[in-house]
């Protein structure tokens, strides 16, 4: 089993990277507070699938392509930033709307589980810098020759860490108490979430 010890080091770095606040955390938190728990879990699964996507890209060397062709990386950043700005616009647009418990029950039928998965996946892959980060981690921590099934284990590792973390966030924030607090401060929560997403989108698109 010693040949797989590199997985532990990668797992530790992945954990710290996943729990650090970012667009994915903002989206999961906002969904957990204002939507049904099934939608929150769907988005969490989508984000986790996005982590697999970036892991595969890193394994097959796309991060090296991004570093070699800055224009391509810049294009992906601009597109990702625009997507985050679109999400921010949607949140800010409805921030002033008042909601009651009955309104939230109606909203609970607004998005299917599978649409939530797709939404989470698109949000995760909207940040191509993640490919560079994961690629850098792999470059530093992967052995020169990967043991058998390492690619599968790395994908499972990335998926599990993201899924466990974001599903835990959903469980903590989807309680009746948390949602009542959200209803009370909805305008401010939405404006903070929308502003943060907009800031992250602009930073992603303009950061050179």
């Amino acid at each position: 089993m010693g040949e797989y010890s590199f997985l532990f080091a990668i797992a530790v770095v992945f954990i710290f990277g996943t729990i650090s606040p970012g667009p994915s955390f903002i989206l999961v938190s906002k969904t957990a507070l204002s939507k049904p728990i099934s939608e929150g879990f769907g988005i969490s699964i989508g984000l986790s699938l996005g982590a697999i996507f970036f892991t595969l890209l890193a394994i097959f060397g796309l991060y090296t392509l991004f570093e070699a062709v800055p224009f391509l990386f810049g294009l992906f950043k601009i597109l990702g930033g625009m997507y985050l700005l679109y999400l921010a616009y949607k949140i800010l647009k409805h921030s002033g709307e008042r909601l009651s418990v009955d309104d939230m029950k109606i909203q609970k039928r607004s998005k299917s589980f599978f649409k939530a998965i797709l939404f989470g996946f698109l949000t995760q892959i909207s940040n191509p810098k993640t490919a560079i980060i994961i690629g850098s981690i792999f470059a530093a921590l992967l052995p020169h020759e990967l043991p058998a099934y390492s690619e599968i284990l790395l994908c499972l590792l990335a998926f599990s860490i993201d899924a466990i973390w974001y599903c835990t966030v959903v469980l903590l924030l989807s309680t009746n108490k948390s949602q009542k607090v959200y209803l009370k401060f909805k305008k401010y929560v939405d404006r903070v979430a929308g502003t943060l997403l907009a800031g992250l989108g602009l930073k992603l698109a303009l950061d050179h």
Side-chain angles (χ1 to χ4, degrees):
M1 293 297 291
E3 60 184 338
Y4 292 101
S5 59
F6 67 93
L7 292 173
F8 176 76
I10 290 177
V12 172
V13 179
F14 270 18
I15 289 171
F16 283 105
T18 300
I19 66 177
S20 60
S24 300
F25 181 80
I26 295 170
L27 176 63
V28 169
S29 301
K30 175 72 169 54
T31 303
L33 286 169
S34 60
K35 302 289 183 177
I37 193 169
S38 61
E39 188 168 330
F41 283 148
I43 288 179
S44 299
I45 296 301
L47 292 170
S48 304
L49 292 174
I52 291 180
F53 175 79
F54 278 129
T55 298
L56 288 173
L57 291 186
I59 289 173
F60 291 107
L62 185 61
Y63 80 98
T64 304
L65 177 62
F66 280 156
E67 290 182 327
V69 187
F71 170 77
L72 183 61
F73 180 50
L75 178 61
F76 272 78
K77 285 175 58 181
I78 291 172
L79 293 175
M82 290 175 64
Y83 180 73
L84 293 181
L85 287 172
Y86 168 71
L87 294 183
Y89 166 75
K90 289 184 66 176
I91 293 175
L92 291 171
K93 180 181 178 181
H94 300 288
S95 63
E97 296 178 358
R98 292 183 177 274
L99 287 180
S100 64
V101 175
D102 291 334
D103 293 328
M104 290 181 68
K105 289 179 179 178
I106 294 174
Q107 285 194 4
K108 289 185 178 184
R109 299 190 295 270
S110 63
K111 187 176 293 183
S112 70
F113 179 73
F114 294 103
K115 285 185 178 179
I117 290 177
L118 177 60
F119 188 48
F121 179 77
L122 291 175
T123 300
Q124 183 74 296
I125 67 172
S126 68
N127 186 1
K129 294 181 80 171
T130 307
I132 297 293
I133 294 171
I134 294 179
S136 299
I137 293 171
F138 285 1
L141 299 176
L142 284 184
H144 292 296
E145 293 187 10
L146 290 177
Y149 309 113
S150 291
E151 293 85 354
I152 296 174
L153 292 174
L154 286 167
C155 288
L156 288 174
L157 188 68
F159 180 87
S160 300
I161 290 172
D162 268 43
I164 291 172
W165 168 246
Y166 290 122
C167 285
T168 300
V169 172
V170 171
L171 285 172
L172 292 175
L173 296 181
S174 61
T175 63
N176 288 332
K177 183 176 181 181
S178 298
Q179 293 187 344
K180 285 180 180 178
V181 172
Y182 169 73
L183 287 174
K184 185 176 181 180
F185 299 102
K186 174 186 179 300
K187 178 173 68 174
Y188 306 104
V189 172
D190 286 4
R191 287 179 179 175
V192 170
T195 300
L196 287 174
L197 272 182
L200 289 169
L202 285 172
K203 184 177 186 301
L204 177 61
L206 301 176
D207 184 13
H208 298 292

